[in-house]
Amino acid sequence: MNKKKFLALILAMVMVLSLAACGGGSSGGDSGTSGGDTQQSGGGDAQTPPADTGSDVQTPPADTGAVSADDIDDTMTSADNTYEMAFVTDVGQLKDKSFNQGTFDGVKLYANANGLSYKYYQPANATEATDDDRYDAMKAAVDSGATVVVCAGFMQEGALTRAASEFPDTKFIFIDGHPLSDANGNNLTNVAPIAFKEEQCGYFAGYAVVREGFTKLGFSGGGGGTNDACCRYGYGYVQGANAAAAEMGVDVSINYSWQYGASFSASPELQTMANGWYQSGTEIIFACGGAMFQSIAAAASANDAYMVGVDVDQSSQSDAVVTSAMKGLSEAVQWAVAKVYDGTWDEIGGVPTSLGAAEDSVGLPTDTWSLENYTVAEYEELLASVKSGAFVVDNDFSNLEQDWSNVTLNIT
């Protein structure tokens, strides 16, 4: 089937949050994913998931689109060499076109709109960064005058616990995170954990590509299977594929792997694996791991094959991208940062926030997808059923290795 894009459109509109968290990218991650550390109930050692805050969470302002994050410099120099807002990256590149970049976009947009200084900090030692490296980056941000520090990715937990305990007057936003406690078990109320329901947008993507006509799928996840956001993405993807296959009366096979994704980085080994999948018949791969996208995109292009992006709309990065499983990283950051300044921090500080379809925080980019057989109207009907709660996507990824009615799952 010919689904190549004739245009690679840059998404000028991002999802609007009306609020009530996969990999390095998640959740999603850098999702991305360097994704989230929010645990799901029922899965092995998994912890209780964050509560859905529902209607108690206020609706954030919509992005007017007047200024694009790409139009705002990544670096700036303040007059007094202090910086009000800080961003501490997850593993992977700052400009990963995924988790890190989507999160930093929120920092830049809020700072630009409100005349605030900002700076990003990348922990030392790149993919080999330790908790000490991450803590040092957070401390540098605080020492440079940061009122609010946005930290991306579940790997920040240890360093963030230490930093938030040491600097109680600084507000920390933990993207793809869960509530933290100090050494005495006290809730760290200066940390706002923001997580996403990646299983929902993963479901939308898996359902869409099978409805489109693909029957030989792949999933390549970041974090080595330890990143809950990526686990939710992948589990949702399989659920959606199985549901669509059952409706259509077809059988679907899915190659499912965490190999070569532990650091969420591009690598020759990952590209070789993806190339082998494509040459063996895989038609489309969900690239769920930040800069891993680059390796899978290269393999897809070499084989005239297809892929699904993650965290943000990645259609502009490769003609191979059919659609992307997105979460509203930039909007969530802007919404949370605003609460530092409007006196409503107590609504999110130390409180688990989980954002999904009901909050318009996950979905597919219908303006730029290249799906031809699955319509926007059909997608919007499915989306509405998830938003209303009429249909619930399971988030307990410990159920992945079940007997699927219409999916053969090949896990490596």
Side-chain angles (χ1 to χ4, degrees):
M1 62 184 70
N2 181 12
K3 298 177 180 63
K4 289 289 186 180
K5 293 182 187 292
F6 297 101
L7 297 174
L9 300 176
I10 298 177
L11 185 64
M13 177 186 74
V14 289
M15 300 185 329
V16 176
L17 292 170
S18 60
L19 260 66
C22 155
S26 117
S27 17
D30 179 14
S31 88
T33 220
S34 110
D37 191 305
T38 312
Q39 305 285 335
Q40 299 301 313
S41 62
D45 296 331
Q47 302 171 0
T48 301
D52 184 352
T53 54
S55 59
D56 292 337
V57 179
Q58 299 176 2
T59 301
D63 183 355
T64 63
V67 177
S68 167
D70 292 335
D71 296 329
I72 305 171
D73 290 338
D74 293 334
T75 59
M76 66 168 295
T77 301
S78 68
D80 61 359
N81 203 34
T82 64
Y83 298 90
E84 175 81 2
M85 295 180 60
F87 172 57
V88 178
T89 69
D90 196 9
V91 293
Q93 308 166 16
L94 175 71
K95 307 295 284 188
D96 59 2
K97 306 295 184 183
S98 186
F99 185 73
N100 273 329
Q101 186 167 341
T103 307
F104 187 43
D105 281 352
V107 173
K108 292 197 300 179
L109 286 165
Y110 188 91
N112 181 76
N114 293 278
L116 301 176
S117 57
Y118 59 92
K119 185 174 181 178
Y120 72 87
Y121 299 80
Q122 292 185 284
N125 297 313
T127 59
E128 302 302 317
T130 65
D131 280 350
D132 285 342
D133 295 326
R134 297 184 180 93
Y135 166 80
D136 288 344
M138 296 174 197
K139 184 177 185 301
V142 175
D143 289 345
S144 294
T147 294
V148 55
V149 181
V150 178
C151 302
F154 78 109
M155 292 182 180
Q156 307 278 13
E157 178 180 352
L160 181 51
T161 299
R162 178 182 172 189
S165 300
E166 186 173 335
F167 307 111
D169 294 331
T170 302
K171 301 297 191 291
F172 294 87
I173 296 171
F174 188 11
I175 298 296
D176 272 3
H178 60 88
L180 301 178
S181 300
D182 65 17
N184 296 317
N186 300 310
N187 184 22
L188 289 168
T189 58
N190 61 330
V191 177
I194 309 295
F196 296 86
K197 296 174 181 175
E198 293 91 355
E199 71 279 358
Q200 294 179 351
C201 51
Y203 185 102
F204 297 146
Y207 185 89
V209 297
V210 172
R211 284 293 305 273
E212 180 69 3
F214 293 105
T215 59
K216 299 183 183 302
L217 283 54
F219 171 83
S220 179
T226 64
N227 180 298
D228 286 4
C230 289
C231 289
R232 290 193 294 271
Y233 268 130
Y235 180 45
Y237 186 63
V238 175
Q239 289 180 76
N242 187 71
E247 290 177 8
M248 299 170 68
V250 299
D251 293 323
V252 169
S253 62
I254 303 178
N255 285 325
Y256 194 103
S257 180
W258 300 107
Q259 293 186 76
Y260 314 119
S263 67
F264 301 95
S265 301
S267 70
E269 294 81 7
L270 177 60
Q271 184 171 336
T272 297
M273 183 188 78
N275 187 64
W277 282 5
Y278 284 130
Q279 291 184 357
S280 298
T282 298
E283 300 162 320
I284 187 167
I285 297 174
F286 183 7
C288 186
M292 294 169 63
F293 175 93
Q294 299 166 14
S295 296
I296 295 172
S301 296
N303 290 276
D304 195 30
Y306 305 93
M307 62 185 300
V308 174
V310 74
D311 286 339
V312 298
D313 180 8
Q314 296 187 305
S315 61
S316 65
Q317 305 309 307
S318 172
D319 287 347
V321 176
V322 170
T323 190
S324 299
M326 305 193 313
K327 56 188 184 184
L329 293 164
S330 173
E331 296 85 355
V333 169
Q334 295 174 74
W335 170 78
V337 171
K339 292 186 173 295
V340 175
Y341 298 99
D342 67 8
T344 60
W345 176 262
D346 288 347
E347 295 177 359
I348 61 173
V351 178
T353 298
S354 183
L355 310 176
E359 297 79 38
D360 292 323
S361 297
V362 300
L364 306 181
T366 56
D367 285 351
T368 60
W369 76 15
S370 61
L371 301 171
E372 297 173 356
N373 300 321
Y374 182 54
T375 69
V376 172
E378 290 171 324
Y379 163 67
E380 290 180 342
E381 182 178 359
L382 173 61
L383 177 64
S385 69
V386 176
K387 288 180 68 170
S388 69
F391 174 66
V392 177
V393 182
D394 185 22
N395 67 3
D396 183 1
F397 51 80
S398 69
N399 292 322
L400 175 67
E401 297 186 58
Q402 62 180 273
D403 291 329
W404 297 96
S405 63
N406 291 71
V407 163
T408 299
L409 196 59
N410 307 307
I411 301 177
T412 57

